[in-house]
Amino acid sequence: MLSIKNLHASVEDKAILKGLDLEVKAGEVHAIMGPNGSGKSTLGNVLAGREAYEVTEGEVLLDGSDLLALSPEDRAREGVFLAFQYPIEIPGVSNINFLKTALSEIRAYKGLPPMEARDFLKKVKEKQQLVEFDAKLANRSLNEGFSGGEKKRNEIFQLAMLEPKLAILDETDSGLDIDALRIVARGVNQLRADNNAFILITHYQRLLEYIVPDFVHVLYNGRIVRSGTKELALELEEKGYDWIKETVDA
Amino acid sequence: MLDEAATDTMITQISDSLYTHLIKTYDGNLPSAGLHSLDEIRTQAFERFKSMGFPTVKQEDWKYTNVQPLIGQRYSLDTEMPSGTPALDKALIPKLDAHRIVLVNGRYSSELSTDEEIPGLQIMPIEQAFDRLCFAKYFAAYADKTDNPFVALNTASFTSGLFIEVGKSRQLQKPIHIIHVAATDKPLFTQTRNLYVMGAFAEAEIIESFITEDGAEHNLNNQVSEIVLRENAKLQHYYLQVAGPQSNYLNHTEVHQEKHSLYNNYNCSFPGAAFVRNNINVQMGDSEVESHLYGIALTAGNQLVDNHTIVDHIKPHCESYEWYKNITQDTSTAVFNGKIFVRLDAQKTNAFQQNNNMLIGEKSAIYTKPQLEIFADDVKCSHGCTIGQFDNEALFYLRARGISEAQARVLLVHAFAFDVTSRFLNAAVREYVEHLVEEGL
Ligand SMILES: Nc1ncnc2c1ncn2[C@@H]1O[C@H](COP(=O)(O)OP(=O)(O)OP(=O)(O)O)[C@@H](O)[C@H]1O
Ligand SMILES: [Mg+2]
């Protein structure tokens, strides 16, 4: 589904991704871990198309076609979804209106007619229940005055509503209480399917107990320096990153 | 045709043509003929106008709003109805059920208006109201105390306009929708004078739309509206500026409020009219008066929209609330000047003012100046002013969910305008304005 080859990206002329390779197949869940500042969010932002991030080398293919050539909105319409590490607040834009607009634009892109109001509301209700997202929050302005955890939960609610092909969750687990973590994990597990894939960026092996990944990667200094299965996460939890840094830097 | 050599020390050379034209044609032969007191008011006003002349950018109140190019042109002063019936579709507000009043170049058109008898409501061309008691009492009673030369000129030589009186304790079921149409095949200068009187305990809603007929010639419209709210009266007043680029406006609104009255003004300008200057003055003439002034100006092209407001707290226990938002695109200019006076006597005043600006066009300009003058000591007053651009983070967030950049901008401008649009009590007007915001981007 997603094929990243030798990806180099920089921000303000500072190289951050330095030759990153990653293959994600449909139906898979990949976890990406790594020390602070190693480039994990940068990877998410590059995939989502944030303008400040300049790709200087390499390629990213989504189902065989060039993802980097697309505008952010077209990437989303092609099924890329980034759950932000720090979702922003947009006062005055209602959550529901925002989702309705997003959904209808994605549908129009695919040549589908807009959803009937009734069906839309049914879907909202169903997904709200799935991720236990308070209906009161759904009707408020986008993230305005939401707690940190509520914002993260809203990202997952949006994910459930838009049903993307490739979801990248950037530290969605950070700032969630134990119950919220379980709910988010249950939501993701229910959304997992043969035709979609997840990339979970996380610092905590705890999340991976709830959402069991097929692969775990370590991103360090702009590259994937080690890949393994879920046991790698346990090992990192126990030993930290120093042993990896030492071997890489050597 | 005109004596170009006529000079006057008060005016600059370029403004001669309209000025001299007005001077030459001012013969005192007014529709008020016969009413001695009115004639006198008008003659005095003309003297006042002559001594002030047209304003220049040297005057603080006109610093960013140069009228010289407008008044330097030649106009016909003849506001006779044009041949043919102008289309009104540009002013139609979906889902609005209202009494319709149409003024073409300021003249009341009974043909285009819904001419119906409404108990307790008097609507007529202003010249038919000259002999009314409340006309004598309120005409030129407040507006002419200001130093706006265009008011003096209007008082001296208006040719048409509208008189509305809502009788004591009358609560109108339907809004009054006034459509001002500019329709002319020659450059035209119009002067319209309106007087709206709300009787004690009366309640009404007046919605005014400004439109231009397709293909109309250049026109400049100097309009003065005087509004009086008697005790406990309530008026919801909307201005919807949707005219075309050929049209230019100098609108002066003077509101005088008596005890316990409520006046809400919603002042909206959209891309179109080349030049719009609104003066909206509210005089809180007694205690326990409440006023709300909301404004939204979405400008484009080379437009200029200038809103000057004055809220004058004269007596204690009054409340005013003002919120203006400007969104400028292309090379347009928006001006906001909000004066609040809290007089010595006006203890326990509550005055709030907020002005937020969103500069979209890199070459657009915003001039904003809040001015608070407080002479009483036991008052609550606050004001704030912000200038910003599109929030790129917000734009990206929306796009990352599949929303096009254009649509994301619409959402963000809606969000920006929301503080104001959400205050519109009339849902049909609110929806219409939200739609105009979308169209205007
Ligand atoms: N917009 C930006 N402008 C300047 N520097 C940036 C920007 N975005 C990222 N960086 C820098 O790039 C490096 C990688 O940042 P990134 O956010 O990708 O790290 P991360 O792996 O997600 O870290 P964390 O675990 O703390 O979230 C950091 O040194 C960061 O300061
Ligand atoms: Mg990060």
Side-chain angles (χ1 to χ4, degrees):
Chain A
M1 171 176 291
L2 181 74
S3 165
I4 304 176
K5 291 206 178 78
N6 189 32
L7 184 65
H8 291 252
S10 55
V11 186
E12 289 165 6
D13 292 328
K14 181 182 159 206
I16 296 169
L17 299 183
K18 303 166 185 170
L20 186 142
D21 297 292
L22 184 66
E23 291 285 332
V24 179
K25 295 201 175 63
E28 291 177 350
V29 173
H30 290 241
I32 296 184
M33 305 181 81
N36 294 131
S38 57
K40 303 181 297 298
S41 294
T42 300
L43 174 63
N45 282 317
V46 166
L47 295 179
R50 196 189 281 269
E51 266 156 29
Y53 296 78
E54 195 197 347
V55 174
T56 50
E57 217 184 313
E59 66 168 13
V60 179
L61 301 179
L62 182 73
D63 287 333
S65 53
D66 183 6
L67 183 71
L68 301 176
L70 303 178
S71 66
E73 53 269 38
D74 280 351
R75 297 181 195 200
R77 293 162 182 173
E78 289 289 347
V80 175
F81 182 99
L82 171 65
F84 291 93
Q85 183 172 2
Y86 305 109
I88 60 158
E89 303 190 10
I90 311 186
V93 173
S94 94
N95 234 326
I96 288 297
N97 193 24
F98 154 68
L99 277 172
K100 196 186 285 168
T101 311
L103 211 58
S104 63
E105 289 211 31
I106 292 170
R107 287 176 67 92
Y109 181 81
K110 293 179 176 159
L112 297 169
M115 232 174 172
E116 294 279 337
R118 190 165 21 94
D119 297 338
F120 175 75
L121 290 175
K122 212 176 109 199
K123 185 165 181 155
V124 166
K125 213 166 159 195
E126 181 193 316
K127 301 300 183 183
Q128 261 168 9
Q129 281 166 358
L130 176 71
V131 299
E132 297 186 30
F133 188 66
D134 194 336
K136 278 200 247 39
L137 293 178
N139 289 313
R140 284 216 328 235
S141 275
L142 191 44
N143 291 334
E144 188 185 15
F146 285 24
S147 75
E150 286 168 343
K151 285 180 188 165
K152 295 297 180 74
R153 228 163 332 152
N154 195 10
E155 295 292 291
I156 299 304
F157 171 54
Q158 291 171 26
L159 170 82
M161 284 296 295
L162 302 181
E163 296 171 320
K165 198 148 68 176
L166 174 72
I168 305 143
L169 275 58
D170 191 356
E171 295 197 32
T172 303
D173 54 332
S174 302
L176 289 183
D177 64 44
I178 308 280
D179 293 334
L181 182 68
R182 260 190 228 122
I183 292 158
V184 164
R186 200 178 59 218
V188 170
N189 284 329
Q190 291 195 29
L191 294 167
R192 274 174 89 161
D194 290 343
N195 58 358
N196 64 21
F198 288 82
I199 296 176
L200 309 175
I201 296 172
T202 181
H203 286 295
Y204 307 106
Q205 115 81 18
R206 199 181 56 195
L207 176 72
L208 307 180
E209 280 171 16
Y210 295 110
I211 310 173
V212 180
D214 299 294
F215 299 96
V216 173
H217 309 276
V218 176
L219 181 56
Y220 172 60
N221 199 14
R223 303 175 58 189
I224 304 262
V225 294
R226 187 160 304 223
S227 297
T229 54
K230 61 182 195 299
E231 283 71 29
L232 176 58
L234 280 169
E235 198 177 352
L236 292 169
E237 179 94 349
E238 202 179 303
K239 302 205 271 188
Y241 290 109
D242 282 352
W243 60 285
I244 290 185
K245 288 184 189 170
E246 276 161 24
T247 45
V248 174
D249 294 340
Chain B
M1 176 176 69
L2 288 171
D3 181 8
E4 287 290 338
T7 52
D8 188 310
T9 50
M10 295 307 293
I11 52 155
T12 59
Q13 195 60 40
I14 190 164
S15 56
D16 276 353
S17 56
L18 181 60
Y19 186 84
T20 42
H21 193 168
L22 287 163
I23 302 281
K24 295 266 158 148
T25 53
Y26 192 80
D27 53 8
N29 192 8
L30 300 159
S32 53
L35 282 161
H36 179 68
S37 56
L38 182 55
D39 280 346
E40 206 170 287
I41 293 174
R42 301 189 75 171
T43 317
Q44 282 171 6
F46 199 66
E47 290 308 314
R48 255 191 357 263
F49 169 68
K50 279 202 287 186
S51 74
M52 288 187 275
F54 284 121
T56 70
V57 291
K58 292 201 186 90
Q59 278 149 281
E60 188 58 32
D61 274 347
W62 298 88
K63 197 169 168 183
Y64 307 106
T65 304
N66 187 6
V67 298
Q68 299 298 326
L70 280 175
I71 58 174
Q73 303 182 30
R74 284 169 188 276
Y75 296 92
S76 164
L77 304 181
D78 171 17
T79 57
E80 282 313 305
M81 285 281 183
S83 55
T85 337
L88 302 176
D89 44 309
K90 286 194 197 112
L92 293 188
I93 301 170
K95 297 184 208 163
L96 181 76
D97 180 22
H99 307 295
R100 190 173 72 200
I101 305 297
V102 179
L103 301 183
V104 182
N105 300 331
R107 287 190 189 274
Y108 178 80
S109 160
S110 54
E111 185 192 344
L112 292 170
S113 305
T114 46
D115 229 350
E116 54 197 321
E117 281 284 321
I118 300 129
L121 176 65
Q122 304 284 335
I123 299 186
M124 64 192 73
I126 193 141
E127 57 275 20
Q128 286 173 25
F130 289 166
D131 55 358
R132 292 195 158 242
L133 225 56
C134 72
F135 181 88
K137 194 165 168 194
Y138 297 120
F139 174 77
Y142 304 107
D144 287 74
K145 303 286 186 293
T146 66
D147 57 3
N148 183 354
F150 288 103
V151 172
L153 178 62
N154 184 289
T155 303
S157 50
F158 69 87
T159 48
S160 57
L162 197 64
F163 172 83
I164 298 177
E165 185 180 6
V166 184
K168 194 172 168 192
S169 300
R170 291 291 174 171
Q171 293 166 10
L172 298 189
Q173 299 306 310
K174 287 205 253 176
I176 301 167
H177 186 193
I178 304 169
I179 302 173
H180 301 271
V181 189
T184 178
D185 52 15
K186 51 190 188 257
L188 184 67
F189 179 63
T190 72
Q191 298 208 80
T192 308
R193 182 69 166 229
N194 308 314
L195 175 62
Y196 309 152
V197 180
M198 299 286 298
F201 292 91
E203 288 182 24
E205 199 179 337
I206 296 177
I207 300 160
E208 305 198 39
S209 297
F210 297 82
I211 60 171
T212 309
E213 198 187 25
D214 282 337
E217 259 293 341
H218 177 85
N219 53 86
L220 173 61
N221 306 283
N222 177 25
Q223 172 165 274
V224 175
S225 301
E226 295 179 284
I227 298 167
V228 176
L229 285 92
R230 307 292 311 269
E231 284 190 24
N232 291 285
K234 288 187 179 142
L235 179 62
Q236 308 292 328
H237 193 194
Y238 296 85
Y239 283 135
L240 305 169
Q241 180 52 265
V242 289
Q246 313 95 307
S247 293
N248 303 274
Y249 296 87
L250 296 149
N251 285 339
H252 185 107
T253 304
E254 191 77 26
V255 182
H256 185 82
Q257 289 185 256
E258 294 184 6
K259 211 174 178 119
H260 292 294
S261 62
L262 169 73
Y263 176 76
N264 286 357
N265 184 287
Y266 310 84
N267 174 18
C268 313
S269 297
F270 293 98
F275 176 104
V276 179
R277 162 66 176 249
N278 289 307
N279 281 72
I280 298 176
N281 298 349
V282 180
Q283 244 185 53
M284 309 174 99
D286 207 334
S287 58
E288 282 158 88
V289 162
E290 190 179 334
S291 331
H292 298 236
L293 302 181
Y294 298 106
I296 176 159
L298 172 64
T299 58
N302 203 24
Q303 250 188 322
L304 172 121
V305 174
D306 173 352
N307 289 309
H308 265 64
T309 67
I310 300 176
V311 177
D312 195 354
H313 286 262
I314 303 168
K315 294 283 159 91
H317 294 285
C318 292
E319 218 175 295
S320 69
Y321 191 93
E322 177 169 24
W323 205 329
Y324 266 74
K325 302 243 179 182
N326 297 314
I327 304 144
T328 54
Q329 309 176 92
D330 310 323
T331 54
S332 61
T333 303
V335 182
F336 173 75
N337 185 298
K339 279 193 193 113
I340 296 178
F341 293 110
V342 181
R343 310 279 176 187
L344 195 57
D345 217 12
Q347 299 296 358
K348 306 284 178 196
T349 286
N350 238 324
F352 170 93
Q353 183 191 82
Q354 183 70 228
N355 170 233
N356 308 116
N357 300 284
M358 193 175 197
L359 256 153
I360 297 180
E362 274 170 29
K363 289 184 177 154
S364 66
I366 289 171
Y367 302 98
T368 166
K369 186 173 176 190
Q371 254 176 292
L372 272 69
E373 291 185 31
I374 301 169
F375 303 99
D377 49 18
D378 186 12
V379 299
K380 261 193 229 151
C381 295
S382 71
H383 73 99
C385 172
T386 61
I387 295 195
Q389 285 164 319
F390 263 118
D391 179 349
N392 282 322
E393 290 294 307
L395 213 53
F396 178 68
Y397 190 98
L398 299 173
R399 293 176 72 192
R401 295 295 177 258
I403 297 172
S404 67
E405 189 172 349
Q407 189 60 34
R409 284 175 187 272
V410 168
L411 282 176
L412 292 179
V413 170
H414 267 306
F416 175 75
F418 183 76
D419 300 309
V420 167
T421 52
S422 62
R423 310 300 163 114
F424 287 37
L425 289 181
N426 187 310
V429 176
R430 190 190 326 128
E431 248 179 72
Y432 170 74
V433 164
E434 283 173 351
H435 173 74
L436 290 177
V437 167
E438 221 158 289
E439 277 205 323
L441 286 170

